Amino acid sequence: MSKVYVFRGSKEIPAEQVLDQLGLSASGRRPHKGAAVPGAAGFPNPPITRFLLPASDCEYTLNALLDELQTDQWPVPPGRRPARCTGVALSVVAGLLSACNPGTGARIITLVGGPCTEGPGAIVSKDLSDPVRSHKDLDKDAAPYFKKAVKFYEGLAKQLVSQGHVLDIFASALDQVGVAEMKVAVERTGGLVVLAESFGHSVFKDSFKRVFEDGEQSLGLCFNGTLEINCSKEIKIQGIIGPCTSLEKKGPSVADTVIGEGNTTAWKMCGLDKSTCLTVMFDLSSSDHSNTPGAVNPQLYLQFLTSYQGPDGQSVLRVTTVTRRWVDSSVSSEELVQGFDQETAAVVMGRFASLKMESEETFDATRWLDRFLIRLCSKFGDYRKDDPSSFTLNPSFSLFPQFMFNLRRSQFVQVFNNSPDETAYFRMLLNRENISNAAVMIQPSLISYSFNSLPAPALLDVASIAADRILLLDSYFSVVIFHGMTIAQWRNLGYQNQPEHQAFAQLLRAPHDDAQMIIRERFPVPRLVVCDQHGSQARFLLAKLNPSATYNNAHEMAAGSDVIFTDDVSLQVFFEHLQRLAVQS
């Protein structure tokens, strides 16, 4: 029988003890005189080869182990949760990896099927009558395990960052598993996170496959990155929101106020990939140029030095230097207006609001976003004082209020109906994905398919629903194909199988082909929902649409369209209020 090492799951195990027990501690593996230096030329230390080998050397044993895996036979008493010690398991594996060459890229892929109930990192008791913490519990400080578990994962994150290793989580369960507590370790190490309902679900299976794919479908996973920022002396760096850790490198460019990972001009990114996107917050209000910006030097510069180990093991250093002119906005704001990127601004606001919601107890995100938007429209809008009808916005800003409207209603700001695990998952992805992906999370895209026209973008509005139309909604986490009433009836009658109705068959197929294209290119793989008008799953679409038609004005709607049962304000009402407040003297 193979030798098995067993660790007690109920108490914290320091890395030194793990190495000692496995015979990997420094005292246990001193090289003999004249012996080859362990770890030289990229080969692991001889004792480590008992635990870590190239896949080609241990393929048979690994496959045999996976084939023999079965569900735990230990009986679970009725009314109790299974004993699960995720925290200790992660401590042991982090300790084992610390014995390999620290500083060499490595990932810990954690497959979690339920909440941790034993030892450090536990999020709930074994008694099923104790529910897993909710947002309400966290607000009232009534989650007894939460702070302790977060503290444990902060310690684990610190250890993994010092080793240069990444923690990934694939959580598959109907109940919460503790993603909210593990978030700190995943974010600080730049890990991947996938939340699915079961290990049999396509969201898990297809996402897991993607991690190991090469070529076009590769995620481009890189390791051991560092980011350093140099900038003009008038600019101070407040911090970064995103998957990285502050290296506490002080300097004159460090601002007094900290946002996210701050107090530094250098950050560690243990894991990064093709779509990793960080938000760097700068402070331009420093006194150096408060009176006459750019009087001494009209140019400002920012330099980003990114170094990392590529998927092929090559070390890469990429330097990006940008220069801009100082603009005195009190004289002319035209240049500022032309340079405004609405999508990027919306994503930055989403990330900043999410961070403030997590770190400030009494923070009201909706009010904060509203005040910010009113100030922006007052400054850059064209209007006559106290005349809302005269208000117009420059095209560079025209979509921004709509983004803010959708951000206010999104799952990043409205946590009602989501568990803390789901909220943590959504925010982790918002903080790490590129701008086009993050913008779709905030404001989903909608495409309409009908007999009369080619597929075309549709307004994200309940008015876009029609009986003879198919809609394709992409909200990043799910992709919804919604059939209008008439289309669904024809499909149920099987018209698409009749040779004379080939056009109908093509109409039905087109959104599925487009949905598969979206799914193929995305990580984590989104959930595909196929539904019909008035069906129970139509809620996946209705929840994202602007409620221009509600039960209050149902008499005004066209035949075949739909209403949303909500008291939320519509985009039109939101914009009317915004105009009125922006023009107030």
Side-chain angles (χ1 to χ4, degrees):
M1 184 188 165
S2 316
K3 189 169 183 181
V4 176
Y5 292 83
V6 179
F7 291 86
R8 182 179 287 279
S10 55
K11 64 179 202 290
E12 201 163 334
I13 304 172
E16 301 75 42
Q17 192 185 327
V18 172
L19 298 182
D20 224 25
Q21 241 170 296
L22 299 176
L24 299 173
S25 58
S27 56
R29 52 182 172 88
R30 285 205 182 94
H32 301 296
K33 229 177 185 174
V37 180
F43 291 104
N45 302 311
I48 291 171
T49 56
R50 297 200 314 258
F51 305 100
L52 200 67
L53 283 170
S56 53
D57 294 4
C58 60
E59 197 168 351
Y60 175 76
T61 316
L62 187 63
N63 286 339
L65 279 170
L66 292 172
D67 289 341
E68 288 166 16
L69 271 183
Q70 48 187 355
T71 49
D72 185 10
Q73 300 301 306
W74 197 262
V76 179
R80 307 283 287 174
R81 291 185 175 91
R84 192 181 270 105
C85 53
T86 315
V88 173
L90 289 171
S91 290
V92 170
V93 75
L96 176 57
L97 275 181
S98 72
C100 318
N101 290 353
T104 301
R107 309 189 82 86
I108 298 169
I109 295 182
T110 319
L111 304 165
V112 191
C116 177
T117 55
E118 183 80 57
I123 67 154
V124 69
S125 73
K126 291 193 195 71
D127 190 344
L128 269 173
S129 62
D130 290 342
V132 183
R133 40 98 197 106
S134 64
H135 278 295
K136 209 168 252 180
D137 295 331
L138 295 176
D139 291 342
K140 290 179 179 169
D141 213 5
Y145 295 88
F146 184 75
K147 284 180 179 163
K148 207 170 167 187
V150 170
K151 195 175 176 191
F152 166 75
Y153 284 112
E154 279 174 349
L156 182 71
K158 202 171 177 183
Q159 181 188 342
L160 289 172
V161 168
S162 68
Q163 295 168 195
H165 298 153
V166 184
L167 175 65
D168 299 330
I169 293 178
F170 286 81
S172 295
L174 288 169
D175 200 2
Q176 299 183 73
V177 299
V179 173
E181 286 81 355
M182 294 175 182
K183 177 177 187 278
V184 60
V186 177
E187 278 211 309
R188 287 186 188 168
T189 62
L192 305 171
V193 59
V194 174
L195 200 59
E197 288 176 3
S198 73
F199 288 115
H201 201 287
S202 62
V203 170
F204 165 73
K205 292 203 300 196
D206 296 343
S207 299
F208 194 63
K209 271 188 224 155
R210 280 290 303 277
V211 176
F212 304 97
E213 278 183 3
D214 293 328
E216 282 286 293
Q217 288 296 93
S218 157
L219 295 176
L221 299 174
C222 301
F223 298 92
N224 254 322
T226 56
L227 170 66
E228 204 166 329
I229 301 177
N230 301 316
C231 50
S232 304
K233 66 178 192 298
E234 304 95 340
I235 300 172
K236 304 289 182 215
I237 304 165
Q238 293 177 315
I240 288 184
I241 303 173
C244 63
T245 302
S246 165
L247 285 175
E248 301 291 335
K249 185 181 176 184
K250 301 287 191 288
S253 300
V254 175
D256 297 332
T257 48
V258 174
I259 296 173
E261 291 289 315
N263 272 328
T264 184
T265 57
W267 294 261
K268 177 87 173 172
M269 297 186 286
C270 299
L272 58 160
D273 57 63
K274 286 195 292 202
S275 65
T276 302
C277 171
L278 305 173
T279 301
V280 187
M281 304 297 253
F282 296 103
D283 183 5
L284 305 181
S285 60
S286 57
S287 56
D288 285 8
H289 68 281
S290 55
N291 300 330
T292 50
V296 183
N297 185 356
Q299 294 289 111
L300 65 100
Y301 80 89
L302 300 168
Q303 186 178 60
F304 303 89
L305 294 90
T306 315
S307 62
Y308 58 90
Q309 185 186 342
D312 52 1
Q314 294 264 335
S315 290
V316 179
L317 170 64
R318 194 179 71 206
V319 182
T320 308
T321 311
V322 292
T323 179
R324 294 285 183 271
R325 288 188 325 123
W326 285 112
V327 174
D328 186 352
S329 57
S330 59
V331 178
S332 164
S333 57
E334 190 54 38
E335 268 187 88
L336 281 180
V337 171
Q338 295 309 321
F340 186 73
D341 185 324
Q342 306 183 66
E343 285 193 344
T344 305
V347 172
V348 169
M349 292 304 291
R351 291 179 180 184
F352 196 14
S354 296
L355 177 77
K356 287 170 90 71
M357 284 181 81
E358 284 172 2
S359 54
E360 298 176 22
E361 278 188 19
T362 55
F363 179 69
D364 183 341
T366 306
R367 187 160 290 184
W368 180 76
L369 289 167
D370 287 350
R371 278 205 301 264
F372 176 89
L373 183 60
I374 292 163
R375 280 207 309 273
L376 182 95
C377 291
S378 292
K379 186 170 175 62
F380 294 105
D382 290 321
Y383 54 88
R384 291 187 300 276
K385 280 259 188 277
D386 298 322
D387 180 6
S389 62
S390 68
F391 182 86
T392 56
L393 261 180
N394 184 293
S396 299
F397 291 97
S398 57
L399 295 174
F400 191 67
Q402 193 176 325
F403 273 115
M404 290 296 98
F405 172 76
N406 285 301
L407 175 59
R408 288 163 91 255
R409 302 177 72 224
S410 71
Q411 66 269 51
F412 307 111
V413 173
Q414 304 297 336
V415 296
F416 176 75
N417 215 17
N418 285 321
S419 67
D421 270 16
E422 287 170 315
T423 300
Y425 173 61
F426 297 143
R427 286 177 178 166
M428 273 194 273
L429 285 167
L430 176 72
N431 285 349
R432 65 166 293 135
E433 282 300 321
N434 61 35
I435 295 300
S436 54
N437 283 345
V440 168
M441 295 179 200
I442 292 169
Q443 183 169 299
S445 70
L446 191 66
I447 299 172
S448 159
Y449 301 79
S450 67
F451 282 119
N452 315 333
S453 60
L454 291 167
L459 282 174
L460 193 66
D461 192 298
V462 66
S464 295
I465 294 176
D468 59 350
R469 194 182 278 177
I470 303 176
L471 295 174
L472 174 64
L473 176 91
D474 176 12
S475 66
Y476 192 84
F477 301 101
S478 56
V479 173
V480 183
I481 299 173
F482 175 95
H483 301 100
M485 218 162 27
T486 310
I487 300 276
Q489 286 167 353
W490 289 346
R491 183 206 57 215
N492 294 342
L493 292 167
Y495 285 178
Q496 68 277 17
N497 304 323
Q498 297 171 10
E500 65 270 26
H501 293 300
Q502 281 306 298
F504 180 57
Q506 283 169 355
L507 180 68
L508 281 181
R509 203 165 43 241
H512 283 270
D513 293 345
D514 290 350
Q516 285 310 318
M517 272 174 61
I518 294 168
I519 289 167
R520 250 200 319 276
E521 289 170 10
R522 183 160 299 162
F523 183 91
V525 170
R527 172 183 184 161
L528 178 65
V529 178
V530 181
C531 60
D532 298 338
Q533 191 175 358
H534 308 311
S536 66
Q537 290 203 307
R539 66 184 189 278
F540 283 96
L541 173 74
L542 296 176
K544 297 291 181 187
L545 298 180
N546 168 38
S548 61
T550 68
Y551 64 94
N552 291 319
N553 58 354
H555 56 277
E556 298 166 16
M557 59 186 259
S561 63
D562 222 323
V563 294
I564 295 178
F565 292 93
T566 181
D567 287 323
D568 277 0
V569 296
S570 66
L571 178 61
Q572 189 185 353
V573 173
F574 174 76
F575 202 73
E576 283 166 6
H577 281 258
L578 174 63
Q579 285 173 316
R580 201 175 70 240
L581 293 164
V583 302
Q584 271 180 3
S585 50

